[in-house]
Amino acid sequence: MSRTANHIETKRPAIMTNILISILGGYQKVLSPLLHQILGVKTACRMQPSCSEYARETIGEYGFGKGVVLSLRRLLNCQPFFTI
């Protein structure tokens, strides 16, 4: 394997991680408040930190693969329309 090909392979997960973290940040700032307004119901995550913040933290800390698995496991345990 050439040096350039190896360099590209090691950068790909970091790029995917950064893209996913950016998407989650956009969700938190734009889409989540919009969904709250559209639904007309105050929905709240009963877990702290919220599932989207937890996903950003775990993906940033553990990388794309393990971070996504941990985030999906958290979402399966979450009740997204839990009202306070």
Side-chain angles (χ1 to χ4, degrees):
M1 188 178 315
S2 71
R3 183 177 177 191
T4 306
N6 190 24
H7 177 70
I8 291 171
E9 287 180 16
T10 58
K11 285 289 187 182
R12 188 172 295 143
I15 292 170
M16 291 172 51
T17 299
N18 291 337
I19 290 171
L20 189 53
I21 288 173
S22 297
I23 290 171
L24 287 167
Y27 166 79
Q28 289 176 321
K29 291 180 180 164
V30 177
L31 192 57
S32 181
L34 186 62
L35 287 174
H36 288 258
Q37 288 179 349
I38 290 172
L39 292 175
V41 177
K42 287 203 170 209
T43 58
C45 188
R46 61 185 172 157
M47 298 181 186
Q48 289 296 328
S50 67
C51 293
S52 57
E53 185 61 32
Y54 176 80
R56 287 182 72 194
E57 291 174 6
T58 56
I59 292 167
E61 183 175 341
Y62 296 109
F64 184 81
K66 186 174 181 178
V68 168
V69 170
L70 291 171
S71 300
L72 289 175
R73 191 170 80 185
R74 167 87 177 249
L75 284 172
L76 289 173
N77 291 322
C78 180
Q79 300 295 322
F81 296 105
F82 178 77
T83 57
I84 295 178

